[in-house]
């Protein structure tokens, strides 16, 4: 019998196990951005950051200082106004990732500042003067750390967590008036300028990174409505995982009914760790996505279709007329001589997508109700076949103009058939195998491919296109390995961020 302490410990372990199970939910969709991808972000982002820092406004600087002139302490009120920066350059920058997030480091920054100065002696004889000054700045290092989290609805959010600004060299040169006096305490003024610069640069840099970063992440879709029946949920399951070689995101990746959203009773397969980082980005799409799609459409009654005589190409050796079936099913022709036929296709359970390293297979389970149409177009059920279609599936990546898509194309492998019900007496379905194969390959599979060609959107931020993409199959998933390129319109959008 457990003691009170034992029961408490047991409850704590049970709670921990429950939490661990929840956190260990496999994603249906996963991405990874590698060091190569982050470096491309640097190539695009640092010039934009340089533009923003070049336009920062430095506030006026004023105060009181005491300097010694010929050994005598003199109080001076000073002002630096009309401070303007120009020529800011970031020659070297890097972007790295780690447990604390992403760190952008810009080094060797240089800039030039001009300003007006004036002073007034605090005591008698209250002398005053004015002039201009030049400030040369070099060997500056700016380092900003940011992290990406997930809000309660699974949206990605970016926030900066730290900023440091170090000036290696700053030289102030005063011109005009009693510049010799100001030059006596340029170290003091230099410190004030450094403080002002650190505050303004860090404020401007973190503001821009937060604003531009979140503007980009806001375009990353969480729920995509595909049609009146379904939508796909790409929400983040947890905050992104930062390592020294890549940043990984885990997403729901599940189809839901628009009208009656219900969680699937099965789970995504486990995904292997990332081992190859030669591309900028990697995207895993599991067969869980396809199987939840089949569940949603089958539950909604969407997986049904009628094939009428005019839909059968005239060149096919089989047509939907009982005359063509006379040699195959004499019983059908004897009861309904030379009459048109209609096929009603009904999915009896959700189709199954299975992805393995050798490729992808798609199995469709359904019934085919075979009707005869009389002269009044009244339907008469002749018999029902149980059919299982086995298809080989190929996939490819393409763009629809605004989004990256993954599309599929099925190839007929075989069909298993059986007699479920007959109103024309018993007969052997083996004679129908060739006819079922022809109709499946020439009509049903092309119908499925019309939907497969449309494809699914791969969630990315607006303005990104995939290039040099490759698709490979794994145990339960398709892996897209790709480089990316930003569209110029996206770069201009980030340039306009204020």
């Amino acid at each position: 019998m457990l003691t009170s302490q034992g029961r408490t410990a047991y409850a704590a372990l049970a709670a921990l196990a429950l939490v661990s199970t929840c956190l260990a939910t496999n994603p249906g969709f996963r991405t990874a951005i590698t060091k190569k991808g982050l470096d491309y972000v640097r190539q695009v982002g640092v010039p934009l950051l340089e533009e923003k820092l070049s336009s920062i406004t430095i506030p006026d600087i004023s105060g009181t200082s005491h300097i010694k002139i010929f050994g005598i302490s003199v109080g001076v009120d000073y002002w630096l106004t009309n401070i303007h920066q120009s020529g800011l350059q970031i020659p070297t920058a890097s972007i790295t990732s780690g447990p604390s997030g992403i760190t952008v480091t810009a080094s060797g920054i240089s800039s030039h500042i001009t300003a007006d100065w004036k002073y007034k002696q605090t005591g008698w004889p209250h002398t005053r003067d004015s002039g201009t000054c030049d400030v040369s700045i070099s060997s500056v290092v700016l380092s900003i750390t940011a992290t990406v989290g997930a809000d309660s609805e699974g949206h990605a959010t970016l926030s900066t967590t730290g900023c440091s600004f170090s000036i290696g060299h700053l030289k102030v040169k005063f011109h005009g008036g009693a510049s010799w006096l100001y030059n006596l305490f340029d170290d003091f003024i230099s410190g004030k300028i450094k403080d002002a610069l650190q505050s303004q640069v860090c404020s401007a840099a973190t503001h821009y990174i937060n604003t531009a970063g979140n503007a980009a992440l806001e375009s990353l879709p969480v729920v995509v409505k595909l049609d009146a029946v379904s939508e796909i949920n790409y929400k983040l399951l947890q905050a992104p995982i930062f390592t020294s070689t890549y940043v990984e995101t885990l997403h729901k990746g599940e189809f839901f009914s628009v009208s009656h959203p219900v969680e699937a009773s099965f789970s995504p397969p486990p995904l292997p760790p990332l081992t190859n980082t030669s591309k900028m980005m990697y995207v895993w799409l599991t067969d869980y996505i396809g199987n939840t799609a089949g569940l949603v459409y089958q539950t909604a009654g969407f997986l049904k279709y009628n094939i009428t005589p005019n839909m059968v190409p005239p060149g096919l050796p089989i047509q939907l007329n009982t005359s063509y079936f006379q040699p195959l099913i004499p019983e059908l022709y004897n009861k309904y001589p030379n009459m048109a036929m209609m096929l009603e296709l009904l999915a009896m359970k959700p189709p199954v997508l299975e992805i393995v390293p050798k490729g992808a297979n798609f199995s469709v389970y359904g019934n085919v109700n075979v009707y005869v149409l009389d002269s009044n177009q009244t339907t008469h059920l002749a018999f029902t076949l149980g059919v299982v279609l086995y298809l080989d599936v190929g996939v490819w990546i393409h763009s629809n103009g605004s989004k990256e898509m993954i599309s599929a194309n099925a190839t007929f492998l075989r069909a298993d058939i059986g007699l479920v019900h007959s109103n024309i007496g018993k007969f052997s379905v083996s004679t129908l195998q060739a006819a079922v194969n022809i109709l499946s390959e020439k009509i049903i599979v092309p119908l499925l491919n019309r939907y497969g060609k449309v494809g699914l959107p791969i969630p990315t931020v607006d303005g990104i296109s995939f290039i040099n993409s490759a698709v490979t199959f794994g145990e339960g998933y398709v892996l897209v390995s790709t480089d990316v390129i930003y569209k110029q319109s996206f770069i201009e959008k980030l340039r306009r961020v204020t």
Side-chain angles (χ1 to χ4, degrees):
M1 181 174 181
L2 289 174
T3 65
S4 175
Q5 289 182 335
R7 286 193 296 271
T8 302
Y10 180 82
L13 288 172
L16 180 61
L18 179 60
V19 171
S20 299
T21 300
C22 294
L23 292 177
T25 300
N26 293 328
F29 175 88
R30 189 176 86 183
T31 73
I33 301 173
T34 64
K35 291 178 70 173
K36 182 181 179 182
L38 291 176
D39 189 61
Y40 180 62
V41 173
R42 175 195 61 79
Q43 293 177 38
V44 173
V46 169
L48 296 175
L49 179 62
E50 184 179 79
E51 290 178 17
K52 294 299 176 181
L53 295 182
S54 296
S55 61
I56 63 173
T57 300
I58 302 173
D60 294 346
I61 299 172
S62 62
T64 301
S65 179
H66 286 79
I67 60 174
K68 286 189 176 182
I69 302 177
F70 305 118
I72 302 172
S73 179
V74 177
V76 174
D77 292 331
Y78 62 89
W79 294 265
L80 290 176
T81 59
N82 298 321
I83 304 173
H84 296 289
Q85 178 191 217
S86 63
L88 186 141
Q89 294 181 331
I90 303 178
T92 305
S94 64
I95 183 169
T96 58
S97 63
S100 60
I102 296 173
T103 299
V104 180
T105 302
S107 56
I109 301 174
S110 61
S111 183
H112 181 260
I113 291 175
T114 60
D116 295 330
W117 65 261
K118 64 179 180 178
Y119 84 95
K120 182 180 72 172
Q121 188 177 346
T122 58
W124 186 85
H126 302 292
T127 56
R128 63 181 65 203
D129 209 342
S130 62
T132 62
C133 68
D134 291 293
V135 183
S136 60
I137 305 167
S138 59
S139 302
V140 177
V141 178
L142 172 66
S143 182
I144 302 169
T145 300
T147 188
V148 179
D151 66 17
S152 59
E153 295 182 350
H155 295 89
T157 58
L158 180 143
S159 60
T160 53
T161 57
C163 177
S164 64
F165 182 79
S166 173
I167 299 177
H169 178 76
L170 186 149
K171 179 63 177 175
V172 183
K173 182 67 176 177
F174 296 95
H175 309 286
S179 296
W180 63 272
L181 179 64
Y182 267 46
N183 288 328
L184 291 177
F185 63 110
D186 63 352
D187 287 343
F188 176 81
I189 296 297
S190 295
K192 295 297 183 181
I193 294 175
K194 285 182 179 181
D195 291 342
L197 279 174
Q198 179 168 18
S199 174
Q200 292 301 112
V201 169
C202 275
S203 176
T206 56
H207 173 76
Y208 179 70
I209 289 174
N210 283 329
T211 306
N214 282 300
L217 291 177
E218 282 175 3
S219 67
L220 186 64
V222 171
V223 176
V224 179
K225 185 176 180 180
L226 300 175
D227 50 40
V229 176
S230 75
E231 59 188 22
I232 185 167
N233 190 306
Y234 285 123
K235 73 175 183 179
L236 281 169
L237 295 176
Q238 62 182 63
I241 301 168
F242 294 89
T243 75
S244 60
T245 53
Y246 59 88
V247 179
E248 186 177 69
T249 64
L250 311 179
H251 303 256
K252 184 70 172 172
E254 180 176 349
F255 271 75
F256 285 92
S257 166
V258 172
S259 57
H260 302 289
V262 178
E263 194 91 13
S265 60
F266 48 94
S267 301
L271 292 173
L274 176 64
T275 55
N276 184 359
T277 58
S278 60
K279 294 287 188 178
M280 295 182 183
M281 185 176 183
Y282 293 85
V283 178
W284 292 259
L285 300 105
T286 66
D287 50 20
Y288 178 77
I289 298 175
N291 288 324
T292 57
L295 174 64
V296 167
Y297 284 107
Q298 199 273 336
T299 303
F302 189 82
L303 301 184
K304 59 183 179 181
Y305 197 75
N306 292 341
I307 300 177
T308 56
N310 64 332
M311 297 171 65
V312 180
L316 291 186
I318 199 78
Q319 297 292 313
L320 290 184
N321 186 287
T322 57
S323 299
Y324 284 84
F325 286 84
Q326 183 180 10
L328 306 176
I329 315 173
E331 297 88 348
L332 176 65
Y333 182 80
N334 292 338
K335 188 170 183 179
Y336 302 107
N338 194 29
M339 296 178 68
M341 301 167 61
M342 182 186 77
L343 307 181
E344 182 186 38
L345 312 180
L346 298 170
M348 302 309 293
K349 66 178 185 177
V352 175
L353 174 65
E354 182 185 18
I355 303 176
V356 294
K358 291 184 178 180
N361 300 305
F362 193 58
S363 304
V364 182
Y365 303 85
N367 283 352
V368 179
N369 292 324
V370 180
Y371 291 95
V372 174
L373 305 175
D374 62 22
S375 57
N376 297 321
Q377 297 298 301
T378 302
T379 58
H380 303 273
L381 179 63
F383 59 90
T384 300
L385 288 179
V387 180
V388 182
L389 293 182
Y390 297 96
L391 312 174
D392 178 67
V393 179
V395 299
W396 74 96
I397 303 298
H398 64 99
S399 173
N400 69 355
S402 60
K403 290 292 183 182
E404 298 302 312
M405 309 289 291
I406 183 167
S407 292
N409 186 79
T411 303
F412 176 74
L413 294 178
R414 76 175 196 274
D416 292 346
I417 59 176
L419 185 63
V420 175
H421 173 76
S422 175
N423 289 328
I424 59 173
K426 291 184 177 182
F427 61 92
S428 174
V429 297
S430 61
T431 58
L432 290 176
Q433 187 68 61
V436 170
N437 290 349
I438 291 172
L439 293 173
S440 298
E441 185 173 5
K442 301 301 182 181
I443 297 178
I444 298 177
V445 172
L447 171 66
L448 293 174
N449 284 337
R450 288 214 305 266
Y451 292 98
K453 184 178 180 180
V454 174
L456 294 176
I458 298 175
T460 61
V461 298
D462 286 346
I464 283 183
S465 296
F466 288 177
I467 57 172
N468 306 323
S469 302
V471 177
T472 54
F473 295 96
E475 196 65 46
Y477 65 89
V478 170
L479 174 61
V480 179
S481 310
T482 186
D483 291 327
V484 301
I485 187 170
Y486 285 112
K487 297 176 183 176
Q488 188 60 36
S489 58
F490 177 74
I491 296 175
E492 291 303 320
K493 176 183 176 181
L494 294 182
R495 181 171 279 118
R496 293 190 297 270
V497 169
T498 58

